[in-house]
């Protein structure tokens, strides 16, 4: 039945108490299952299928099916001999195939590899019965060891042969370090190369978590691995025919046709990069290009406004065989997005062009070319501008809204086309924020984004008002791809400078490493691979009769001349005027070539560029006329639409030409040089050399992406006209041997890196991105375009305040550790200016509200509570703020100073955690820091009583980081003889280098408090702990206390014979906390660790902000107040300590060593129960009304009854 199918996969065999147990994970390879069929593991002791174990697969693991959780198997605790029962020698099982959730058949030999002939399948769907003919898989239990984990590898239908068992050698106790070294991992943010290992190797590496000794090269630290990826096997990533792919682009790669009868037809647009055919299950999503798609409709535009609504269904049916799904968007809205925002705003920025000197028309201006405008190409690019787009209001706000609306509509269609396990591949700068919308709807999809344009440096990109939204949108993808690493490097720098994110190399599923950005606990892979062309398609076009005839016609038109050809869009970025100036200069200097060369310049109309197109066209025509007036027929200029220069016409011109010129000022993907190389590959063979032409050479701008891969081309700087002129001369005078070597070099890349190979490489990278199938590891945060996925450890969730309150109420010995800034008061460090003003004492720091202080007072007043506020502030500051609260423990400067709970608040006593005898290192450190401050603008020195910090949060990001690394090494060499720690921390907040006494951090403090707990409390062992923090300085404390809690839970589980705890999350640093075992109640201890702010942390839970932390404390105060209001005679024991505390005079002189003194000081001897009135403890009147009436006692209810009413009272 359904209940048995969906039950937990954990199976426990009947074993004697104390028997040995092994944990098994099962994998079975199933290649013969049909659609709707699943496989289940069935034990031999379960013939009626009451407890089937479901096996699961995914697009990345198919055809392997895996059990979701380990299966616990009892194994013999002693030796196995002939007298051992058979069921204790082997574990027998077999696999059953279910169809539609109902048993269909048992596995059969025909399910395995076929050797001779197929074996008929069993079609009987009657309830299964014990069938001795169906063989079992038999696993010898002698191969297993107690408390070990194994993976059993099976093949469906194959039950004979040796057993394939992998032993996962997980160490029973992972390597730990001392708490004093916690800051090296938690605070620094820098990991050694060991941290880059995959989780499989990291579990066996004791070096994990240590900091690097030597210097690193790079601008940013390596992102830490936030997730424990144990159990993920390194294996080659493959794309199977069952893999699904959703390709999303602005336009579908098809041509639409409509007959006079109104019938629609379509064919592939083969010159589009995404029209390639593949063995994958591909669904293409985009807008259909039809008349009026751009929204320019009317007398001066298109007569139609896109596909009529009444015919959209017919178009969808026409595109269905192509697996193309159109996105229907109002042409006006799409035109605003495409022509307005994409071409008007993003296009210039992405191509490194921005200008504040835009030319406005004046009443005296004219539309004709001016002398000044003709000089643009030689002197400046002030007229390469964004147009009227500046700021984030008015028209630009409307265009940004249109961009958002179009991306949102795309997201709706993608979600409809998406199937679980599909890869989503987004193309182009038109859809940069689409991943933000997809993560809300399909957060577990692997989403890739590939840009075919350049990506600008951070100084250019930061001029865009919507820069953060676009970057966050791109980072919501799992992989971001570029054609060149140069573009990827700019993207990484933008993320580092504008968002403060780090990047580095991380392990991938295939065992290699991938460049990735660390963002909110997720790793976004960044890849760079240049696209190619499809030689078979181009050769087929070249061999077409029409192409050959057109090429011969062009050759005949310019008979006897060497043909230079260029095909460019008419916009400033393409650099056509510079090219014409280069021709002019060449002929002026080399007049002997006049009449022997011709430049065929094809200009593609770029109406979407608006005034830029008009201005460029005017300038080009003027220069063409000027050159032809001097040397008639030298330049043949032809303007045409994009539809008139399709692949066939283009290949004919490229075949006829001898040299191609691609000299843009800045360009992304440009495949013309690759197509030209294909057109002249025959020049490398003897047959092609017979025509005697000097052909096959490319002249490329060094600002074009293909320059990096076309190594055989002549590279020029288009801004330097003399270089263009010199390129003409080189091309004409080059020897045949050099020309053929250059053509061969270019041909090698063109034939090796094809479009299919490019796509395969990107898809393998995307599929290899680690993205756990558990949605618990990813959590959404933020509103609007600020929405982002946060990568969390499994089980990381919001703190359940109700559960904390219930456990708090039942406990009798509680320890509460609270951070200060960012936890009970707003964090001043988040504002760089405010931080600087506080350091320079020009502004007072934030202090807790009166309400928070009253909550702390009430918590500290409860004698069952031991409350500490652990701050990084100086002790005089924390004393002034919280020193007046009785029985409140304080810790300053991250635990360097500690003031134990006391009722004498007029004069607090402070102790130091470590000896502080030699402070001579301070002057040395300050002198060195002053040198770096003088040469690093935006840095400053912060001094406290026990530490010195060099803050560079206001300095340039990369330069400040480099200077900090240099300072860190300098201080390490000079101060190596002193007992100090040198930390490079807080990189995410801006960064600082800190020098402080050795072995001081909040983790050490928490252990010190716990070890002294019997001296400051009425009990020897705690049974409740609550730890709150908010930043990297609190991570050691959270990590230590969480491990103490895990040890208690692990001990209880072991005693009950339950499964062990899951592995320690990678966000925690293993510390030896065994010295605290004597001070915790393992039977009852509950530890709650919580970070304020939803982010990766060593804590197990989170609260959103300081207000929620205040609500938590308020709930605990209510619990304490309710317990004090009504007490029964059974609670009398809480008035007398059950264990004798031994108190140190150095901690609090007000405590006595005799436990009877506590009772005698608060209660008069020889009195009736109703006369008992204990004196206040800790300076607060804790009046207790003790009931002597049995009926009244019964009305109060038992503890369990009161627990049930907690919700009504508090929540």
């Amino acid at each position: 039945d359904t209940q048995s199918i969906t039950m937990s996969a954990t199976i426990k065999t009947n074993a004697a108490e104390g028997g040995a147990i092994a944990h098994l994970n099962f994998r079975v390879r199933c290649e013969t299952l049909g659609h709707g069929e699943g496989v289940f593991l069935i034990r031999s002791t379960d013939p009626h299928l009451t407890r089937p174990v479901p096996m699961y697969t995914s697009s990345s693991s198919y055809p392997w099916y895996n059990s979701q959780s380990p299966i616990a198997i009892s194994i013999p605790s002693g030796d196995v001999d002939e007298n051992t029962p058979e069921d204790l020698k082997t574990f027998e099982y077999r696999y059953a195939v279910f169809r539609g959730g109902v048993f269909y058949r048992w596995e059969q030999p025909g399910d395995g590899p076929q050797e001779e002939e197929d074996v008929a399948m069993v079609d009987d769907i009657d309830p299964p019965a014990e069938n001795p003919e169906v063989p079992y898989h038999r696993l010898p239990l002698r191969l297993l060891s107690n408390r070990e984990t194994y993976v059993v590898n099976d093949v469906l239908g194959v039950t004979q042969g040796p057993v394939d068992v992998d032993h996962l050698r997980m160490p029973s106790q992972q390597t730990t370090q001392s708490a004093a070294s916690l800051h090296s991992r938690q605070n620094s943010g820098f990991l050694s190369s060991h941290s880059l290992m995959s989780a499989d190797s990291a579990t066996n590496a004791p070096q994990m978590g240590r900091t690097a000794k030597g210097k690193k090269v790079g601008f940013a630290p390596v992102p830490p691995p936030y997730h424990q990826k144990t159990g993920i096997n390194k294996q080659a990533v493959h794309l199977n025919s069952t893999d699904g792919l959703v390709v999303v682009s602005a336009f579908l790669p098809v041509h639409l046709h409509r007959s006079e009868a109104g019938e629609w037809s379509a064919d592939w647009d083969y010159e589009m990069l995404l029209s390639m055919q593949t063995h994958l299950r591909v669904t293409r999503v985009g807008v259909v290009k039809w008349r009026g798609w751009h929204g320019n409709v009317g007398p001066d535009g298109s007569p139609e406004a896109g596909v009529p609504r009444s015919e959209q269904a017919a178009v969808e049916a026409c595109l269905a065989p192509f697996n193309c799904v159109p996105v229907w968007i109002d042409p006006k809205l799409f035109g605003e997005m495409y022509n307005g925002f994409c071409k008007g705003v993003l296009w210039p920025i992405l191509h490194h062009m921005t200008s504040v000197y835009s030319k406005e028309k004046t009443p005296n201006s004219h539309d004709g070319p001016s002398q000044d405008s003709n000089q643009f190409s030689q002197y400046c690019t002030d007229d390469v501008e964004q147009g009227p787009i500046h700021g984030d209001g008015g028209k630009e706000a409307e265009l940004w809204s249109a961009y958002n609306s179009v991306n949102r509509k795309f997201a709706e269609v993608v979600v409809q086309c998406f199937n679980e396990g599909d890869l989503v591949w987004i193309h182009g700068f038109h859809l940069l924020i689409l991943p933000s919308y997809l993560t809300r709807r399909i957060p577990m999809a692997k989403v890739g984004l590939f840009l075919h344009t350049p990506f600008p440096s951070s100084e250019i990109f930061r001029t865009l008002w919507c820069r953060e939204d676009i970057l966050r949108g791109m980072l919501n993808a799992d992989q971001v791809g570029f054609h060149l690493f140069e573009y990827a490097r700019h993207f990484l720098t933008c993320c580092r400078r504008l968002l403060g994110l780090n990047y580095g190399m991380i392990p991938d599923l295939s065992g290699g490493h991938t460049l990735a950005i660390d963002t909110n606990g997720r790793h976004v892979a960044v890849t760079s691979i240049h696209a190619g062309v499809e030689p078979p398609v181009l050769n087929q076009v070249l061999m077409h009769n029409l192409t050959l005839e057109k090429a011969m016609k062009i050759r005949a038109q310019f008979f006897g001349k060497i043909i230079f050809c260029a095909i460019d869009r008419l916009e400033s970025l393409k650099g056509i005027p510079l090219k014409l100036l280069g021709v002019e200069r060449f002929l002026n200097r080399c007049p002997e070539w006049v009449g022997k060369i011709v430049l065929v310049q094809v200009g593609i109309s770029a109406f979407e560029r608006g005034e830029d197109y008009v201005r460029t066209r005017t300038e080009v025509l003027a220069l063409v006329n000027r050159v032809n007036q001097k040397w008639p027929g030298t330049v043949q200029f032809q303007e045409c639409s994009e539809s008139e220069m399709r692949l066939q016409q283009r290949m004919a011109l490229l075949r006829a030409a001898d040299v191609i010129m691609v000299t843009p000022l800045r360009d992304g993907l440009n495949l013309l040089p690759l197509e030209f190389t294909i057109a002249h590959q025959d020049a490398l063979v003897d047959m092609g050399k017979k025509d005697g032409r000097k052909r096959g050479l490319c002249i490329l701008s060094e600002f074009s992406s293909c320059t990096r891969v076309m190594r055989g081309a002549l590279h020029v700087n288009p801004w330097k006209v003399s270089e263009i002129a010199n390129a003409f001369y080189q091309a004409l005078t080059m020897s045949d041997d050099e020309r053929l070597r250059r053509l061969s070099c270019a041909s090698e890349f063109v034939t090796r890196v094809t479009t299919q190979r490019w796509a395969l490489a990107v898809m393998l990278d995307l599929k290899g991105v680690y993205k756990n199938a558990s949605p618990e590891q990813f959590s959404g945060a933020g509103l609007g375009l600020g929405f982002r996925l946060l990568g969390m450890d499994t089980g990381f969730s919001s703190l359940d305040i109700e559960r904390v309150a219930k456990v708090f109420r039942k406990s009798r010995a509680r320890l509460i550790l609270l951070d200060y800034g960012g936890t009970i008061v707003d964090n001043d460090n988040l504002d760089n200016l405010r931080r600087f003003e506080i350091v320079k004492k020009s502004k007072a720091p934030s202090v807790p509200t009166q309400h928070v202080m009253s909550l702390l007072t009430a918590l500290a007043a409860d004698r069952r509570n031991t409350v500490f506020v652990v701050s990084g502030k100086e002790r005089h500051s924390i004393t002034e703020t919280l020193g007046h609260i009785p029985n409140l423990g304080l810790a300053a400067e991250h635990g360097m100073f500690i003031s134990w709970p006391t009722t004498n608040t007029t004069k607090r006593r402070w102790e130091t955690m470590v000896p502080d005898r030699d402070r001579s290192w301070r002057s040395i450190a300050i002198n060195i820091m002053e040198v770096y401050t003088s040469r690093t603008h935006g840095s400053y020195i912060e001094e406290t009583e026990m530490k010195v910090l060099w803050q560079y949060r206001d300095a340039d990001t990369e330069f400040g980081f480099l200077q900090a690394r240099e300072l860190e090494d300098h201080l390490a060499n000079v101060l190596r003889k002193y007992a100090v720690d040198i930390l490079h921390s807080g990189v995410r907040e801006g960064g600082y280098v800190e020098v402080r006494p050795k072995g001081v951090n909040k983790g050490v403090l928490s252990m010190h408090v716990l070890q002294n707990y019997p001296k400051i409390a009425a009990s020897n062992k705690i049974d409740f702990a609550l730890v709150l923090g908010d930043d990297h300085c609190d991570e050691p404390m959270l990590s230590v206390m969480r491990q103490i809690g895990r040890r208690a839970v692990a001990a209880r589980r072991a005693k009950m014979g339950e499964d062990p705890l899951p592995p320690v999350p990678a966000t925690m640093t293993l510390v030896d906390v065994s010295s605290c075992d004597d001070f915790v109640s393992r039977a009852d201890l509950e530890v709650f660790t919580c970070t304020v702010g939803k982010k990766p942390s060593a804590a197990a839970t989170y609260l959103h902000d300081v207000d929620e932390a205040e609500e938590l404390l308020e709930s605990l105060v209510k619990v304490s107040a309710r317990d004090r209001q009504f007490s029964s005679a059974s609670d009398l024991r809480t008035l007398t300590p059950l264990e004798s505390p031994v108190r140190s005079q150095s901690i609090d002189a007000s405590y006595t060593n005799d436990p009877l003194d506590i009772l005698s000081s608060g209660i008069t001897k020889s009195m009736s129960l109703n006369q008992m009135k204990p004196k206040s403890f800790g300076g607060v009147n804790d009046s207790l009304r003790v009931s002597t009436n049995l009926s009244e006692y019964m009305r109060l209810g038992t503890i369990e009854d009161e627990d049930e009413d907690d919700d009504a009272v508090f929540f």
Side-chain angles (χ1 to χ4, degrees), residues 789-827:
L789 277 185
L790 306 180
M792 304 295 184
D793 289 308
T794 304
F796 187 81
S797 59
S798 177
L799 181 65
D800 187 351
I801 299 181
E802 177 182 351
R803 181 170 177 267
V804 174
K806 288 186 177 182
V807 176
F808 179 82
R809 184 178 181 278
K810 294 179 180 179
S811 60
R812 289 297 177 263
R814 309 158 179 159
L815 176 61
I816 302 175
L817 302 177
L818 305 174
D819 174 48
Y820 184 75
T823 302
I824 62 175
V825 66
D826 292 333
N827 193 350

Side-chain angles (χ1 to χ4, degrees), residues 481-742:
F482 302 90
H483 287 293
L484 295 181
F485 179 72
E486 174 186 343
Y487 307 153
R489 177 168 53 83
H490 287 162
F491 175 68
L492 294 171
T493 305
C494 286
C495 294
R496 174 75 180 127
R497 285 177 168 269
L498 301 181
L499 300 181
L501 303 178
N502 300 325
Y503 55 86
M505 303 298 293
I506 63 168
D508 54 25
L509 292 182
S510 61
H513 286 80
T514 302
L515 179 63
I517 299 176
D518 169 31
T519 169
N520 300 305
R522 295 172 53 244
H523 290 150
V524 179
V526 179
T527 61
S528 56
I529 178 172
H530 200 282
V533 294
E534 284 298 313
V537 175
L538 298 181
N539 287 325
Q540 184 178 358
V541 175
L542 278 173
M543 295 298 104
H544 198 278
N545 290 332
L546 293 178
T547 305
L548 296 176
E549 291 175 4
K550 180 66 176 177
M552 294 176 62
K553 190 174 182 180
I554 296 174
R555 293 295 305 174
Q557 181 181 354
F558 304 108
F559 180 76
K561 295 183 178 181
I562 297 177
I563 302 176
F564 291 78
C565 82
I567 305 174
D568 302 287
R569 299 184 69 84
L570 288 173
E571 57 178 310
S572 301
L573 285 172
K574 299 305 178 181
I576 304 176
L578 292 171
K579 189 188 310 174
L580 297 175
L581 290 173
V583 174
E584 185 181 39
R585 181 169 298 189
F586 167 68
L587 293 179
N588 279 327
R589 294 183 177 181
C590 303
E592 65 273 15
W593 288 100
V594 174
K596 298 179 182 180
I597 67 170
V598 62
L599 172 62
V600 179
Q601 175 66 61
V602 177
I604 307 297
S605 302
F607 297 106
E608 71 278 3
R609 293 296 300 138
E611 293 183 4
D612 180 41
Y613 158 68
V614 175
R615 185 169 52 252
T616 302
R617 180 177 180 275
T618 302
E619 188 173 4
V620 168
L621 290 175
L623 286 172
V624 168
N625 292 332
R626 191 169 77 183
V627 172
N628 285 333
Q629 284 177 0
K630 293 182 180 179
W631 307 288
T634 299
V635 179
Q636 293 292 324
F637 175 74
Q638 177 187 357
E639 182 180 0
C640 62
S641 64
E642 191 173 0
S643 60
E644 296 173 329
M645 187 52 63
R646 310 301 298 179
L647 182 60
Q648 189 173 14
Q649 294 85 0
R650 193 164 66 245
M651 292 304 297
L653 177 58
L654 296 178
R655 175 68 180 180
D658 299 301
V659 182
I660 188 171
M661 299 190 70
V662 180
T663 58
L665 306 181
R666 181 73 63 171
D667 203 2
L669 178 65
N670 193 326
L671 298 179
L672 276 177
L674 283 71
E675 296 173 349
F676 178 81
T677 301
I678 293 293
H680 293 276
Q681 272 186 317
D682 62 321
L684 297 173
V685 299
D686 294 337
M687 183 66 68
K689 296 177 183 178
K690 292 181 179 180
D691 58 10
R693 293 168 54 190
K694 294 184 177 182
R695 57 191 176 100
L697 189 64
C698 301
I699 299 177
L700 301 183
S701 164
E702 62 186 44
F703 299 104
S704 178
S705 66
C706 58
T707 304
R708 305 297 188 273
V709 297
M710 299 290 288
R711 295 172 297 153
L714 288 176
H715 299 163
V716 299
N717 178 3
W719 296 99
K720 193 172 182 180
V721 176
S722 60
E723 281 196 17
I724 299 178
N726 187 54
F728 275 97
Y729 181 79
Q730 282 185 271
L732 293 170
T733 60
M734 183 177 296
S735 65
D736 290 342
D737 183 61
E738 180 182 356
R739 179 175 52 81
L740 292 177
R741 284 202 312 269
R742 288 178 176 271

Side-chain angles (χ1 to χ4, degrees), residues 876-887:
H876 67 82
S877 176
I878 198 71
T879 301
E880 180 182 350
T881 306
L882 300 174
H884 64 282
I885 300 179
N887 291 330

